[in-house]
mmCIF file of all heavy atoms in Angstrom:
data_model
loop_
_atom_site.group_PDB
_atom_site.id
_atom_site.type_symbol
_atom_site.label_atom_id
_atom_site.label_comp_id
_atom_site.label_asym_id
_atom_site.label_seq_id
_atom_site.Cartn_x
_atom_site.Cartn_y
_atom_site.Cartn_z
ATOM 1 N N ILE A 1 89.087 101.107 80.850
ATOM 2 C CA ILE A 1 89.832 101.106 82.131
ATOM 3 C C ILE A 1 91.128 101.932 82.001
ATOM 4 O O ILE A 1 91.836 101.774 80.988
ATOM 5 C CB ILE A 1 90.126 99.649 82.560
ATOM 6 C CG1 ILE A 1 88.839 98.975 82.945
ATOM 7 C CG2 ILE A 1 91.206 99.595 83.615
ATOM 8 C CD1 ILE A 1 88.933 97.529 83.398
ATOM 9 N N VAL A 2 91.358 102.785 82.965
ATOM 10 C CA VAL A 2 92.582 103.604 82.981
ATOM 11 C C VAL A 2 93.271 103.319 84.331
ATOM 12 O O VAL A 2 92.717 103.575 85.404
ATOM 13 C CB VAL A 2 92.148 105.150 82.964
ATOM 14 C CG1 VAL A 2 93.392 105.992 83.044
ATOM 15 C CG2 VAL A 2 91.373 105.411 81.714
ATOM 16 N N SER A 3 94.438 102.702 84.189
ATOM 17 C CA SER A 3 95.118 102.239 85.374
ATOM 18 C C SER A 3 96.555 102.684 85.485
ATOM 19 O O SER A 3 97.220 102.869 84.508
ATOM 20 C CB SER A 3 95.115 100.700 85.355
ATOM 21 O OG SER A 3 95.811 100.151 86.430
ATOM 22 N N ASN A 4 97.027 102.898 86.723
ATOM 23 C CA ASN A 4 98.413 103.162 86.984
ATOM 24 C C ASN A 4 99.261 101.902 87.029
ATOM 25 O O ASN A 4 100.479 102.003 87.214
ATOM 26 C CB ASN A 4 98.608 103.931 88.280
ATOM 27 C CG ASN A 4 98.224 105.436 88.180
ATOM 28 O OD1 ASN A 4 97.956 105.898 87.096
ATOM 29 N ND2 ASN A 4 98.204 106.071 89.317
ATOM 30 N N ASN A 5 98.644 100.778 87.041
ATOM 31 C CA ASN A 5 99.305 99.525 87.211
ATOM 32 C C ASN A 5 100.465 99.412 86.325
ATOM 33 O O ASN A 5 100.431 99.568 85.112
ATOM 34 C CB ASN A 5 98.293 98.378 86.950
ATOM 35 C CG ASN A 5 98.746 97.050 87.570
ATOM 36 O OD1 ASN A 5 99.845 96.649 87.394
ATOM 37 N ND2 ASN A 5 97.830 96.441 88.315
ATOM 38 N N ARG A 6 101.666 99.160 86.948
ATOM 39 C CA ARG A 6 102.958 99.064 86.184
ATOM 40 C C ARG A 6 103.107 97.691 85.495
ATOM 41 O O ARG A 6 103.788 97.581 84.475
ATOM 42 C CB ARG A 6 104.085 99.386 87.033
ATOM 43 C CG ARG A 6 104.142 100.887 87.430
ATOM 44 C CD ARG A 6 105.396 101.184 88.229
ATOM 45 N NE ARG A 6 105.334 102.598 88.597
ATOM 46 C CZ ARG A 6 104.817 103.057 89.753
ATOM 47 N NH1 ARG A 6 104.389 102.200 90.641
ATOM 48 N NH2 ARG A 6 104.844 104.336 90.061
ATOM 49 N N SER A 7 102.584 96.701 86.116
ATOM 50 C CA SER A 7 102.633 95.328 85.564
ATOM 51 C C SER A 7 101.351 95.107 84.786
ATOM 52 O O SER A 7 100.324 94.722 85.367
ATOM 53 C CB SER A 7 102.782 94.286 86.649
ATOM 54 O OG SER A 7 102.628 93.010 86.144
ATOM 55 N N GLY A 8 101.420 95.285 83.495
ATOM 56 C CA GLY A 8 100.204 95.310 82.735
ATOM 57 C C GLY A 8 99.617 93.945 82.388
ATOM 58 O O GLY A 8 98.466 93.909 81.891
ATOM 59 N N SER A 9 100.284 92.869 82.735
ATOM 60 C CA SER A 9 99.782 91.580 82.288
ATOM 61 C C SER A 9 98.378 91.230 82.896
ATOM 62 O O SER A 9 97.485 90.819 82.195
ATOM 63 C CB SER A 9 100.778 90.471 82.584
ATOM 64 O OG SER A 9 100.963 90.363 83.916
ATOM 65 N N ARG A 10 98.252 91.403 84.161
ATOM 66 C CA ARG A 10 96.942 91.110 84.844
ATOM 67 C C ARG A 10 95.854 92.015 84.356
ATOM 68 O O ARG A 10 94.786 91.583 83.991
ATOM 69 C CB ARG A 10 97.045 91.227 86.395
ATOM 70 C CG ARG A 10 95.677 90.797 87.057
ATOM 71 C CD ARG A 10 95.728 91.026 88.519
ATOM 72 N NE ARG A 10 95.769 92.411 88.870
ATOM 73 C CZ ARG A 10 94.708 93.206 88.971
ATOM 74 N NH1 ARG A 10 93.500 92.813 88.754
ATOM 75 N NH2 ARG A 10 94.853 94.492 89.382
ATOM 76 N N VAL A 11 96.188 93.303 84.236
ATOM 77 C CA VAL A 11 95.162 94.274 83.776
ATOM 78 C C VAL A 11 94.768 94.005 82.320
ATOM 79 O O VAL A 11 93.602 94.008 81.912
ATOM 80 C CB VAL A 11 95.563 95.731 83.963
ATOM 81 C CG1 VAL A 11 94.578 96.719 83.492
ATOM 82 C CG2 VAL A 11 95.945 95.986 85.410
ATOM 83 N N THR A 12 95.833 93.683 81.488
ATOM 84 C CA THR A 12 95.605 93.399 80.068
ATOM 85 C C THR A 12 94.660 92.145 79.981
ATOM 86 O O THR A 12 93.735 92.167 79.151
ATOM 87 C CB THR A 12 96.902 93.173 79.350
ATOM 88 O OG1 THR A 12 97.708 94.370 79.472
ATOM 89 C CG2 THR A 12 96.705 92.835 77.886
ATOM 90 N N GLU A 13 94.960 91.148 80.697
ATOM 91 C CA GLU A 13 94.104 89.935 80.690
ATOM 92 C C GLU A 13 92.727 90.224 81.115
ATOM 93 O O GLU A 13 91.739 89.763 80.513
ATOM 94 C CB GLU A 13 94.727 88.846 81.568
ATOM 95 C CG GLU A 13 95.971 88.235 81.103
ATOM 96 C CD GLU A 13 96.708 87.316 82.184
ATOM 97 O OE1 GLU A 13 95.985 86.922 83.095
ATOM 98 O OE2 GLU A 13 97.881 87.074 82.024
ATOM 99 N N PHE A 14 92.587 90.965 82.187
ATOM 100 C CA PHE A 14 91.280 91.299 82.773
ATOM 101 C C PHE A 14 90.437 92.067 81.738
ATOM 102 O O PHE A 14 89.293 91.734 81.486
ATOM 103 C CB PHE A 14 91.483 92.125 84.043
ATOM 104 C CG PHE A 14 90.256 92.290 84.865
ATOM 105 C CD1 PHE A 14 90.091 91.425 85.988
ATOM 106 C CD2 PHE A 14 89.332 93.325 84.682
ATOM 107 C CE1 PHE A 14 88.954 91.558 86.831
ATOM 108 C CE2 PHE A 14 88.239 93.443 85.500
ATOM 109 C CZ PHE A 14 88.078 92.558 86.548
ATOM 110 N N CYS A 15 91.061 93.066 81.113
ATOM 111 C CA CYS A 15 90.341 93.846 80.089
ATOM 112 C C CYS A 15 90.027 93.034 78.865
ATOM 113 O O CYS A 15 88.963 93.216 78.254
ATOM 114 C CB CYS A 15 91.144 95.077 79.714
ATOM 115 S SG CYS A 15 91.294 96.234 81.093
ATOM 116 N N ALA A 16 90.943 92.196 78.454
ATOM 117 C CA ALA A 16 90.694 91.352 77.225
ATOM 118 C C ALA A 16 89.540 90.410 77.509
ATOM 119 O O ALA A 16 88.634 90.218 76.706
ATOM 120 C CB ALA A 16 91.948 90.537 76.909
ATOM 121 N N ASP A 17 89.470 89.898 78.734
ATOM 122 C CA ASP A 17 88.383 88.968 79.145
ATOM 123 C C ASP A 17 87.045 89.746 79.070
ATOM 124 O O ASP A 17 86.018 89.236 78.709
ATOM 125 C CB ASP A 17 88.671 88.438 80.511
ATOM 126 C CG ASP A 17 87.786 87.255 80.894
ATOM 127 O OD1 ASP A 17 86.835 86.943 80.179
ATOM 128 O OD2 ASP A 17 88.052 86.632 81.908
ATOM 129 N N LEU A 18 87.021 91.010 79.475
ATOM 130 C CA LEU A 18 85.815 91.838 79.465
ATOM 131 C C LEU A 18 85.538 92.409 78.071
ATOM 132 O O LEU A 18 84.405 92.847 77.810
ATOM 133 C CB LEU A 18 86.032 93.026 80.371
ATOM 134 C CG LEU A 18 85.645 92.885 81.850
ATOM 135 C CD1 LEU A 18 86.038 94.191 82.630
ATOM 136 C CD2 LEU A 18 84.233 92.558 82.023
ATOM 137 N N GLY A 19 86.530 92.408 77.185
ATOM 138 C CA GLY A 19 86.358 93.029 75.924
ATOM 139 C C GLY A 19 86.308 94.550 75.934
ATOM 140 O O GLY A 19 85.565 95.171 75.179
ATOM 141 N N VAL A 20 87.094 95.129 76.840
ATOM 142 C CA VAL A 20 87.122 96.594 76.934
ATOM 143 C C VAL A 20 88.571 97.084 76.759
ATOM 144 O O VAL A 20 89.543 96.404 77.047
ATOM 145 C CB VAL A 20 86.577 97.081 78.369
ATOM 146 C CG1 VAL A 20 85.178 96.658 78.571
ATOM 147 C CG2 VAL A 20 87.476 96.618 79.507
ATOM 148 N N PRO A 21 88.693 98.305 76.202
ATOM 149 C CA PRO A 21 90.049 98.885 76.034
ATOM 150 C C PRO A 21 90.640 99.288 77.387
ATOM 151 O O PRO A 21 89.938 99.503 78.366
ATOM 152 C CB PRO A 21 89.798 100.081 75.156
ATOM 153 C CG PRO A 21 88.331 100.377 75.161
ATOM 154 C CD PRO A 21 87.626 99.109 75.674
ATOM 155 N N TYR A 22 91.984 99.441 77.310
ATOM 156 C CA TYR A 22 92.752 99.684 78.573
ATOM 157 C C TYR A 22 93.822 100.728 78.285
ATOM 158 O O TYR A 22 94.585 100.562 77.304
ATOM 159 C CB TYR A 22 93.359 98.350 78.977
ATOM 160 C CG TYR A 22 94.550 98.413 79.908
ATOM 161 C CD1 TYR A 22 94.523 99.134 81.101
ATOM 162 C CD2 TYR A 22 95.695 97.741 79.613
ATOM 163 C CE1 TYR A 22 95.584 99.213 81.927
ATOM 164 C CE2 TYR A 22 96.798 97.758 80.452
ATOM 165 C CZ TYR A 22 96.740 98.484 81.599
ATOM 166 O OH TYR A 22 97.839 98.526 82.476
ATOM 167 N N GLN A 23 93.835 101.746 79.107
ATOM 168 C CA GLN A 23 94.907 102.825 79.025
ATOM 169 C C GLN A 23 95.784 102.535 80.260
ATOM 170 O O GLN A 23 95.408 102.815 81.336
ATOM 171 C CB GLN A 23 94.281 104.178 79.066
ATOM 172 C CG GLN A 23 95.283 105.310 78.962
ATOM 173 C CD GLN A 23 95.996 105.337 77.600
ATOM 174 O OE1 GLN A 23 95.276 105.301 76.573
ATOM 175 N NE2 GLN A 23 97.318 105.452 77.531
ATOM 176 N N GLY A 24 96.988 102.017 79.953
ATOM 177 C CA GLY A 24 97.906 101.636 81.020
ATOM 178 C C GLY A 24 98.826 102.783 81.354
ATOM 179 O O GLY A 24 99.002 103.742 80.666
ATOM 180 N N ARG A 25 99.572 102.487 82.514
ATOM 181 C CA ARG A 25 100.552 103.486 82.971
ATOM 182 C C ARG A 25 100.047 104.909 82.892
ATOM 183 O O ARG A 25 100.688 105.795 82.322
ATOM 184 C CB ARG A 25 101.871 103.320 82.268
ATOM 185 C CG ARG A 25 102.414 101.905 82.461
ATOM 186 C CD ARG A 25 103.722 101.723 81.766
ATOM 187 N NE ARG A 25 104.102 100.355 81.937
ATOM 188 C CZ ARG A 25 105.342 99.958 82.049
ATOM 189 N NH1 ARG A 25 106.289 100.768 81.808
ATOM 190 N NH2 ARG A 25 105.646 98.685 82.163
ATOM 191 N N ALA A 26 98.899 105.133 83.451
ATOM 192 C CA ALA A 26 98.195 106.444 83.235
ATOM 193 C C ALA A 26 98.850 107.547 83.911
ATOM 194 O O ALA A 26 98.634 108.705 83.607
ATOM 195 C CB ALA A 26 96.707 106.250 83.783
ATOM 196 N N GLY A 27 99.605 107.254 84.983
ATOM 197 C CA GLY A 27 100.301 108.384 85.710
ATOM 198 C C GLY A 27 99.371 109.246 86.579
ATOM 199 O O GLY A 27 99.746 110.384 86.843
ATOM 200 N N LYS A 28 98.227 108.696 86.919
ATOM 201 C CA LYS A 28 97.305 109.436 87.835
ATOM 202 C C LYS A 28 98.114 109.858 89.092
ATOM 203 O O LYS A 28 98.744 108.986 89.610
ATOM 204 C CB LYS A 28 96.044 108.655 88.117
ATOM 205 C CG LYS A 28 95.174 108.325 86.932
ATOM 206 C CD LYS A 28 94.010 107.422 87.257
ATOM 207 C CE LYS A 28 94.453 106.030 87.597
ATOM 208 N NZ LYS A 28 93.502 105.053 87.942
ATOM 209 N N PRO A 29 98.054 111.020 89.547
ATOM 210 C CA PRO A 29 97.031 112.109 89.326
ATOM 211 C C PRO A 29 97.222 112.995 88.148
ATOM 212 O O PRO A 29 96.470 113.977 87.906
ATOM 213 C CB PRO A 29 97.050 112.907 90.605
ATOM 214 C CG PRO A 29 98.430 112.779 91.050
ATOM 215 C CD PRO A 29 98.934 111.417 90.690
ATOM 216 N N SER A 30 98.305 112.748 87.315
ATOM 217 C CA SER A 30 98.389 113.554 86.087
ATOM 218 C C SER A 30 97.129 113.270 85.247
ATOM 219 O O SER A 30 96.700 112.147 85.151
ATOM 220 C CB SER A 30 99.624 113.099 85.339
ATOM 221 O OG SER A 30 99.632 113.649 84.062
ATOM 222 N N PRO A 31 96.660 114.248 84.507
ATOM 223 C CA PRO A 31 95.510 114.030 83.629
ATOM 224 C C PRO A 31 95.916 113.369 82.310
ATOM 225 O O PRO A 31 94.975 112.959 81.560
ATOM 226 C CB PRO A 31 94.977 115.479 83.421
ATOM 227 C CG PRO A 31 96.173 116.364 83.569
ATOM 228 C CD PRO A 31 97.067 115.685 84.577
ATOM 229 N N ARG A 32 97.221 113.171 82.042
ATOM 230 C CA ARG A 32 97.611 112.680 80.706
ATOM 231 C C ARG A 32 97.035 111.345 80.326
ATOM 232 O O ARG A 32 96.616 111.124 79.173
ATOM 233 C CB ARG A 32 99.062 112.676 80.575
ATOM 234 C CG ARG A 32 99.804 111.777 81.376
ATOM 235 C CD ARG A 32 101.366 111.871 81.243
ATOM 236 N NE ARG A 32 102.054 111.279 82.366
ATOM 237 C CZ ARG A 32 102.355 110.016 82.504
ATOM 238 N NH1 ARG A 32 102.023 109.186 81.567
ATOM 239 N NH2 ARG A 32 102.954 109.638 83.601
ATOM 240 N N GLY A 33 96.868 110.418 81.321
ATOM 241 C CA GLY A 33 96.319 109.081 80.988
ATOM 242 C C GLY A 33 94.839 109.249 80.592
ATOM 243 O O GLY A 33 94.362 108.584 79.686
ATOM 244 N N LEU A 34 94.125 110.078 81.357
ATOM 245 C CA LEU A 34 92.705 110.322 81.020
ATOM 246 C C LEU A 34 92.530 110.931 79.685
ATOM 247 O O LEU A 34 91.684 110.604 78.905
ATOM 248 C CB LEU A 34 92.018 111.129 82.149
ATOM 249 C CG LEU A 34 91.610 110.379 83.397
ATOM 250 C CD1 LEU A 34 92.827 109.882 84.182
ATOM 251 C CD2 LEU A 34 90.721 111.242 84.264
#
């Protein structure tokens, strides 16, 4: 998951529950997060 979400707690919990990695504060549309 690659998210612009600034408050990472919900996304972090969601990803942990799924067992998937998370790239936060991606800054989309910048390609740097991807």
